[in-house]
Amino acid sequence: MSRWLPFEWIAALRFLREGWMQTFFILAGITIGVGVIVFMSALLAGLQSNFLQRVLNAQAQIMLLPPDEVARPLRDGPGIVEDAVVQRPTQRLRSIDQWQAVQTQMATTSGVTMTSPVASGAALALRGEASRSITLTGVEPESYFRIVRLPDSIVAGQARLLNDEIIIGTDLATALGVALGDKLRVTAASGRDATLTVSGLFDLGNRQVNERNTYVALRTAQSLLNLIGGVTSLQLTVQDAYAAETMAQAIQGATGVRADSWIRTNMEFFTAVNAQRTANTVIRLSVGLSVALGIASVLVVSVVQRSREIGILRAMGGTRGQILRIFLIQGGVLGLLGSLSGSGLGFAALVLWHRWARQADGSELFPLTIQPDLFLAAMGVATLTGVLAAMAPALRAARLDPVVAIRG
Amino acid sequence: MPAEVLRLEDIRKSFNLGTPLETEVLHGIDLMLRRGEFCALIGPSGSGKSTLLNLIGLLDRPTAGRLFIEGHDTRALDDAALTRLRGHSIGFVFQYHHLIGAFTAAENVMMPLLLDRGHPDDTMRSTAEDLLDRVGLLPWKESRVGNLSGGQQQRVAIARALAMNPALVLADEPTGNLDTRSADGVFALMREVNRTHGTAFLIVTHDPRLARRCDRIVEVVDGRIVTNEAVVHSAAEEA
Ligand SMILES: Nc1ncnc2c1ncn2[C@@H]1O[C@H](COP(=O)(O)OP(=O)(O)O)[C@@H](O)[C@H]1O
Ligand SMILES: [Mg+2]
């Protein structure tokens, strides 16, 4: 008998040990429940953060664009609409008006951390007989590559852009049969063309992107796209990525240029995340409720089985409070132990899943991060759930009439 | 210290068998027990002996009348105070199912002390071992009580009833479940504790042989005390 524990703890632990079959089964139940919650929460959080990481490394958080050209319905006369279907006009390649002024304004806007101008448009890449349509993105490498982490994805050469250089994806290189240092002819829709040297190859883990995206110096793109001095977009990063949408709206209101946040362009993802979050909450609540009901029912049975012993404890001077605490502690201990083994189970499942489940390219599906707060939260909530679930049985035990209990 | 451990004045007890039906089980009991008295409570089954013991043990409250334990008027006490008085002044020995199965013999004996003080300590353990030694069960101190015989269990229960050194031990048919030999042993043990410790005993028994070995016999019939007289011990019995 440990001399450090108060009587209630000693009795609670002894009772749990004596009824080891009940204890074992309810612990197994709690373990599975908590394990599922821990596994699911960590997996979802990992998948989300991995996706966000990829998205945030591959695009600016806010992109400023020239305003849309607005379509007008054709009208013959007042009130007569010729064509109800209004088609959005094809967007010509246009520059942001006074983009330097906008950029200066952005640089001094609080919350904006980086800005980078981009001139991009469609073009054709040619090499011998082979040709592919590409998106030509003209950038200022020093600023742009701090917003979009292209250098992290360079697999050959370097993320360097002199005026006659181009960085292309591995799949485009294969399609055109070019290697690092080879020359490539690029023809833009404007009719202008240039011969550029491949200075780097990137692999962004997406075939379409690897085939289509190309990067050149801003000046090169401007001249090819016939946009001398102009840019098609300004890329911004902000301090709080999650505030990007509100900031974008503020910027649009203040400048008149169109501002798209990464949140808007990835709306589907956020909708999916919210749906998952709701589902996750429902699952947590259901598991928590069934754990609570399981603990309560085990303890109710235990109170009935032990009513004579409870009566004897009362006869020997045991108070109602002591009896109450014996059962509350049992509930809490069941919750705590179950959450410990459940966290272990959930974590083991995470490790296995992390080892087996891979992206198509073999990289990890989600980062295996041990979130101590997740485990602590699971333990805290499970312990509290156990204590709360034990409330009804414990009150019942405390209120037992010792005369009735002893007579049986 | 008052000379009496127990005084009952016109104690009545009714049970509500659903209103308006109310049956009175004890019809005005007057009883006094002195310190160190060894008293038998006899009477036919259903006469109210256990009901009376539950009242004296402060497990239940009388419907009317006054009950004093070591001079304390219990009528004014709330539940917590009754529990405290019960823990300190009264020990119980029941007929059966009386020990806590999840604990060893020594731990069962310690239990009243543990309930009182909240934490185990060394003095408790040595007190428990002394008591187990007195009832001849020291070698079994680490045994689970479920592994002991009926007589041994009852001896553990007696040791436990003495743990708080109470003024009064209430025993409801403590030998009713034992064979004659064990019953004699258990009874002799209580008698010996009474002599050496000065603990008063009130023992419900159906065994006239045992009753005659007490100092006094109180007989209850139909909720009334019909006889209350001292036993004259012959010299032969004393030996
Ligand atoms: N809780 C109760 N409710 C109703 N009647 C009771 C209750 N407890 C005891 N009785 C009745 O009181 C009478 C005395 O019972 P009891 O004290 O157990 O007798 P004894 O111990 O002398 O055999 C019996 O008729 C019994 O049915
Ligand atoms: Mg009885």
Side-chain angles (χ1 to χ4, degrees):
Chain A
M1 193 184 282
S2 162
R3 89 186 39 190
W4 307 113
L5 289 179
F7 161 75
E8 291 91 332
W9 279 88
I10 296 169
L13 297 178
R14 288 294 178 89
F15 283 178
L16 286 176
R17 198 170 80 186
E18 197 190 29
W20 62 270
M21 273 236 308
Q22 290 170 14
T23 304
F24 172 79
F25 281 121
I26 189 64
L27 276 183
I30 303 169
T31 300
I32 291 168
V34 173
V36 165
I37 290 179
V38 165
F39 174 74
M40 211 179 54
S41 305
L43 181 64
L44 285 182
L47 287 173
Q48 281 169 22
S49 83
N50 209 12
F51 183 86
L52 290 181
Q53 207 69 39
R54 277 166 186 256
V55 167
L56 287 173
N57 282 340
Q59 72 180 82
Q61 289 150 21
I62 299 178
M63 192 155 59
L64 304 188
L65 300 160
D68 272 349
E69 281 178 31
V70 186
R72 282 183 208 96
L74 293 171
R75 287 169 196 258
D76 255 0
I80 302 162
V81 178
E82 192 99 316
D83 192 348
V85 182
V86 179
Q87 286 189 329
R88 207 162 160 268
T90 9
Q91 299 288 305
R92 288 180 292 118
L93 213 51
R94 286 176 307 126
S95 174
I96 300 177
D97 274 347
Q98 319 248 321
W99 67 266
Q100 284 95 344
V102 176
Q103 187 179 20
T104 312
Q105 191 185 341
M106 287 303 108
T108 57
T109 303
S110 79
V112 175
T113 50
M114 279 182 282
T115 64
S116 184
V118 165
S120 91
L124 215 54
L126 304 138
R127 162 95 176 176
E129 297 292 290
S131 76
R132 285 285 185 283
S133 40
I134 57 169
T135 301
L136 196 65
T137 306
V139 301
E140 287 179 344
E142 321 76 60
S143 59
Y144 185 81
F145 287 162
R146 281 198 289 158
I147 296 177
V148 174
R149 300 292 171 84
L150 191 67
D152 296 349
S153 306
I154 294 289
V155 293
Q158 2 177 332
R160 186 196 61 193
L161 286 174
L162 300 179
N163 279 344
D164 61 345
E165 286 181 333
I166 185 167
I167 298 174
I168 64 172
T170 47
D171 289 291
L172 182 63
T174 313
L176 295 177
V178 295
L180 198 64
D182 286 353
K183 292 204 187 313
L184 199 66
R185 214 156 71 85
V186 174
T187 310
S190 64
R192 300 176 181 224
D193 68 356
T195 301
L196 304 171
T197 307
V198 176
S199 64
L201 293 177
F202 64 80
D203 180 3
L204 285 170
N206 177 323
R207 188 188 165 85
Q208 227 180 335
V209 170
N210 286 349
E211 238 179 29
R212 191 148 185 120
N213 288 17
T214 65
Y215 299 87
V216 296
L218 182 60
R219 229 168 246 289
T220 311
Q222 285 171 332
S223 86
L224 273 168
L225 299 171
N226 197 14
L227 263 176
I228 300 303
V231 301
T232 53
S233 68
L234 271 175
Q235 313 275 324
L236 309 183
T237 53
V238 293
Q239 239 148 33
D240 178 6
Y242 291 92
E245 175 58 22
T246 27
M247 285 200 67
Q249 282 170 12
I251 290 168
Q252 187 159 335
T255 62
V257 298
R258 201 175 110 200
D260 282 352
S261 75
W262 71 286
I263 293 176
R264 175 110 49 99
T265 49
N266 292 285
M267 196 54 105
E268 279 178 32
F269 169 72
F270 283 98
T271 312
V273 164
N274 277 338
Q276 264 179 356
R277 213 168 267 164
T278 310
N280 199 8
T281 306
V282 169
I283 292 173
R284 281 181 199 209
L285 286 179
S286 326
V287 172
L289 197 61
S290 48
V291 162
L293 292 175
I295 291 176
S297 69
V298 161
L299 290 181
V300 163
V301 170
S302 168
V303 168
V304 171
Q305 286 172 337
R306 297 192 181 283
S307 57
R308 203 186 303 255
E309 294 183 335
I310 293 164
I312 287 162
L313 286 173
R314 296 276 285 125
M316 288 188 300
T319 63
R320 286 182 197 276
Q322 284 175 320
I323 303 297
L324 184 80
R325 287 192 290 276
I326 289 175
F327 284 89
L328 291 184
I329 289 169
Q330 289 186 61
V333 166
L334 286 176
L336 180 67
L337 290 182
S339 67
L340 280 177
S341 51
S343 295
L345 179 73
F347 187 66
L350 270 179
V351 171
L352 286 181
W353 194 248
H354 183 258
R355 194 170 295 164
W356 284 337
R358 291 276 142 178
Q359 308 257 17
D361 63 4
S363 69
E364 61 176 15
L365 189 58
F366 58 94
L368 187 65
T369 47
I370 307 171
Q371 298 160 283
D373 23 336
L374 176 62
F375 293 108
L376 286 179
M379 264 154 29
V381 170
T383 306
L384 194 67
T385 303
V387 172
L388 290 179
M391 206 52 125
L395 279 174
R396 184 181 165 154
R399 287 183 186 145
L400 271 182
D401 180 353
V403 175
V404 177
I406 291 167
R407 197 177 41 204
Chain B
M1 208 166 10
E4 56 189 44
V5 286
L6 173 70
R7 174 187 290 277
L8 305 186
E9 289 176 1
D10 196 25
I11 287 289
R12 293 171 186 275
K13 180 64 182 175
S14 309
F15 290 108
N16 270 4
L17 299 169
T19 41
L21 216 71
E22 195 173 87
T23 28
E24 194 171 83
V25 174
L26 297 176
H27 317 284
I29 302 281
D30 294 291
L31 183 66
M32 199 271 281
L33 226 61
R34 277 184 298 277
R35 263 179 203 287
E37 245 191 311
F38 199 77
C39 181
L41 184 62
I42 62 171
S45 193
S47 57
K49 303 183 296 295
S50 295
T51 303
L52 184 59
L53 236 58
N54 288 337
L55 294 179
I56 296 171
L58 309 178
L59 293 172
D60 207 354
R61 283 177 187 269
T63 315
R66 302 181 78 181
L67 169 60
F68 299 85
I69 302 286
E70 293 197 274
H72 297 282
D73 187 349
T74 59
R75 200 162 47 172
L77 301 179
D78 64 7
D79 197 67
L82 286 180
T83 299
R84 208 170 317 122
L85 184 58
R86 174 165 70 234
H88 283 95
S89 298
I90 297 167
F92 287 93
V93 181
F94 300 100
Q95 185 172 358
Y96 38 53
H97 300 300
H98 32 258
L99 300 176
I100 313 288
F103 292 87
T104 65
E107 289 164 348
N108 265 278
V109 176
M110 282 168 71
M111 197 61 69
L113 295 160
L114 199 51
L115 284 163
D116 184 51
R117 295 185 208 159
H119 281 267
D121 61 39
D122 284 337
T123 54
M124 271 179 210
R125 178 154 285 276
S126 62
T127 303
E129 288 180 3
D130 286 349
L131 286 167
L132 275 180
D133 196 21
R134 290 192 55 177
V135 301
L137 285 178
L138 192 56
W140 283 270
K141 63 177 179 177
E142 301 300 343
S143 300
R144 279 301 162 97
V145 290
N147 299 333
L148 302 179
S149 73
Q152 287 173 324
Q153 289 192 28
Q154 208 55 305
R155 285 165 176 272
V156 174
I158 291 168
R160 186 182 64 185
L162 299 173
M164 294 287 284
N165 198 16
L168 173 64
V169 170
L170 303 173
D172 197 349
E173 303 189 38
T175 60
N177 210 27
L178 302 177
D179 60 75
T180 319
R181 242 175 62 104
S182 309
D184 278 353
V186 165
F187 189 87
L189 175 64
M190 291 193 286
R191 193 55 164 144
E192 195 242 358
V193 166
N194 162 254
R195 291 231 166 92
T196 56
H197 249 242
T199 312
F201 278 77
L202 183 59
I203 303 168
V204 174
T205 181
H206 280 300
D207 190 335
R209 211 170 40 86
L210 295 180
R212 251 179 282 115
R213 285 159 63 181
C214 296
D215 297 334
R216 190 141 66 101
I217 297 176
V218 174
E219 186 177 8
V220 178
V221 176
D222 286 338
R224 286 191 177 83
I225 293 182
V226 294
T227 43
N228 182 355
E229 54 191 25
V231 178
V232 183
H233 293 284
S234 66
E237 275 174 330
E238 286 294 317

